[in-house]
Amino acid sequence: MRTTKGAAIGFIFITLTIDVIGWGLIIPVMPELLVELKHVPLNETSKYGGYLVSAFAAMQFLFAPLMGNLSDRFGRRPIILLSLLGFCVDYIILALAHNYELLFAGRILAGITGASFTAASAYIADISDDENRAKNFGLIGAAFGLGFVLGPALGGLLAELGLRAPFYAAAILCFLNFLYGYFILPESLQQENRRPFEWKKANPVGSLMFLRNYPTIAGLVIAFFCIYLAAHAVQSNWNYFTMYVFNWTEKQVGFSLAIVGVLVGAVQGGLIRFVNPRLGDEKSAYTGLLLYAIGLALFAFATESWMMYLFLVPYCLGGIAGPALQSIITKHVPKNEQGLLQGSLTSLMSLTSIFGPLIMTRLFYYATLQDSRIHFPGAPFLLGAALMLISIFLSWRALSKERKA
């Protein structure tokens, strides 16, 4: 199907938005579901939730390079569709699970097939140029934001029908998303830009070794790693922290995450279009990382529910950093290796999602034990703030060296 680049961006935006809605639906109910299945206190469920996220991420780490390479060989469209079907089956398993082991199995399946964001990032790289690359990558964040406006809010409301209701809703949405992609989504990778499949590049080690071909971006890649590791202070702990510290309900968790979605969508879908052209990629990255650090530090010391909502503003404004940093990195890689690059970056993100939830949820668990030396539930947020500051330094050093060279 022939279409304009603008229309193609619209297709991928809607596909990712529906995908994220399905993911967001289940977040508010996961803590109480784990309490039900494991028969443990709420703060202890955080470590079991961390194991689920880490299992998903471990499979992503192992299989994302394979999916990225397959998308370079056969195109982005079939990989996106396969991913959507995998998520659909996963949500059905979660809805029917009567023990923790089945939840774990469902997350493993989703991790194996869950390459939608890898293929989508490569899709956007295919149809972007230097002038609009950061803006287009910002739409991934906007889709994430919009999905989080609708997903958690609907999940919190559906939880009143039962803890399993959001999982069934997520499965239905993923299947509708698959149908939409099958009939509407065009292929972005032209035949002349495809390359032969190589097994040595289709494994996580080979994928990461690929980054050694571009030593000028090594510091930026490490900064990228630190950013996503720090983000798990929020991603892996928000529902557990707010339920434990402020006694929030599923509906309140869903509402708060909907606000996150509104702010992220406004920043990455709107504000970045004005800020990035004026500041440039480098200054946008520094400014965003500093705002991330400030927001995380404020979360750590929040004592009232309203503070969590207020402190979301600087944290979400930090969203201008990611697309800017990703734009800088992609400029160093040719078009026929963008899928490989995005697979490598997804592998790095998956590494942070393997270790990030384990680190952040265990830190939260130990910081909330009754016999803990220091009872400080905000400890994961403080660690996240420190990692963001490290990312600023690493990015500055890498770009400074490149200018001198």
Side-chain angles (χ1 to χ4, degrees):
M1 179 184 298
R2 293 185 177 276
T3 185
T4 64
K5 289 184 178 180
I9 288 289
F11 293 143
I12 205 70
F13 174 77
I14 294 173
T15 297
L16 290 178
T17 299
I18 297 175
D19 198 13
V20 175
I21 288 174
W23 184 41
L25 276 168
I26 70 174
I27 292 176
V29 300
M30 189 58 76
E32 289 298 332
L33 181 61
L34 290 174
V35 169
E36 177 185 298
L37 295 178
K38 296 299 294 183
H39 308 291
V40 295
L42 179 65
N43 64 315
E44 191 172 340
T45 64
S46 64
K47 67 179 181 181
Y48 294 108
Y51 297 151
L52 291 176
V53 177
S54 294
F56 173 84
M59 295 302 102
Q60 281 262 292
F61 175 70
L62 293 173
F63 287 92
L66 173 64
M67 295 299 186
N69 274 264
L70 288 173
S71 78
D72 280 343
R73 172 64 182 88
F74 299 106
R76 320 302 183 195
R77 183 175 179 273
I79 305 305
I80 292 173
L81 295 179
L82 175 64
S83 173
L84 296 177
L85 276 181
F87 274 122
C88 181
V89 174
D90 167 50
Y91 291 133
I92 292 174
I93 292 174
L94 296 182
L96 299 174
H98 59 273
N99 56 46
Y100 181 76
E101 288 70 26
L102 276 177
L103 289 182
F104 202 84
R107 291 285 78 190
I108 288 177
L109 173 63
I112 291 173
T113 60
S116 58
F117 275 85
T118 300
S121 297
Y123 191 108
I124 288 176
D126 291 339
I127 60 176
S128 300
D129 53 36
D130 290 343
E131 185 177 338
N132 61 18
R133 183 171 284 108
K135 179 179 68 176
N136 289 342
F137 274 119
L139 287 177
I140 295 179
F144 188 88
L146 181 57
F148 254 67
V149 173
L150 301 175
L154 289 173
L157 292 173
L158 288 171
E160 297 183 354
L161 301 176
L163 291 177
R164 310 296 179 130
F167 297 101
Y168 287 113
I172 292 170
L173 274 177
C174 277
F175 185 67
L176 291 175
N177 196 4
F178 167 79
L179 292 177
Y180 172 82
Y182 183 81
F183 290 106
I184 301 298
L185 188 68
E187 179 55 63
S188 65
L189 187 64
Q190 301 302 316
Q191 288 289 341
E192 61 270 19
N193 290 327
R194 300 186 185 187
R195 63 176 180 82
F197 179 82
E198 299 177 62
W199 276 109
K200 67 178 182 180
K201 293 182 179 180
N203 63 81
V205 176
S207 176
L208 293 175
M209 293 297 286
F210 158 78
L211 295 172
R212 295 178 60 186
N213 297 332
Y214 303 93
T216 56
I217 63 172
L220 297 174
V221 169
I222 296 173
F224 190 83
F225 178 87
C226 289
I227 292 168
Y228 280 91
L229 187 65
H232 279 282
V234 174
Q235 293 174 14
S236 300
N237 271 309
W238 183 267
N239 46 0
Y240 302 103
F241 176 85
T242 53
M243 285 181 166
Y244 177 78
V245 176
F246 303 116
N247 294 314
W248 282 11
T249 64
E250 289 88 352
K251 185 183 291 186
Q252 287 174 298
V253 171
F255 180 71
S256 67
L257 291 174
I259 292 177
V260 172
V262 170
L263 293 174
V264 169
V267 170
Q268 299 204 4
L271 183 63
I272 195 172
R273 293 170 176 265
F274 298 98
V275 172
N276 188 270
R278 288 163 177 77
L279 294 182
D281 286 339
E282 185 174 349
K283 289 182 180 178
S284 293
Y286 297 151
T287 302
L289 291 173
L290 181 60
L291 287 167
Y292 269 145
I294 292 171
L296 285 165
L298 291 173
F299 288 149
F301 295 100
T303 55
E304 301 288 342
S305 287
W306 62 265
M307 293 180 179
M308 298 300 288
Y309 290 103
L310 180 62
F311 299 157
L312 281 172
V313 176
Y315 178 77
C316 290
L317 285 173
I320 64 174
L325 190 59
Q326 196 167 10
S327 176
I328 294 170
I329 293 173
T330 58
K331 290 176 183 177
H332 292 77
V333 178
K335 282 186 175 294
N336 66 348
E337 290 189 330
Q338 287 295 328
L340 186 55
L341 171 65
Q342 299 305 328
S344 299
L345 294 180
T346 300
S347 291
L348 280 177
M349 291 167 60
S350 295
L351 276 179
T352 67
S353 294
I354 294 170
F355 299 109
L358 295 177
I359 293 170
M360 299 302 181
T361 57
R362 297 292 291 192
L363 181 57
F364 174 76
Y365 169 64
Y366 286 121
T368 55
L369 288 175
Q370 290 185 349
D371 57 352
S372 177
R373 287 187 177 182
I374 301 176
H375 188 270
F376 184 46
F381 296 129
L382 207 56
L383 176 58
L387 287 169
M388 290 297 183
L389 294 176
I390 291 172
S391 296
I392 294 176
F393 171 73
L394 291 173
S395 299
W396 171 80
R397 188 175 68 171
L399 293 173
S400 296
K401 286 183 177 180
E402 184 176 342
R403 279 193 295 271
K404 289 179 181 179

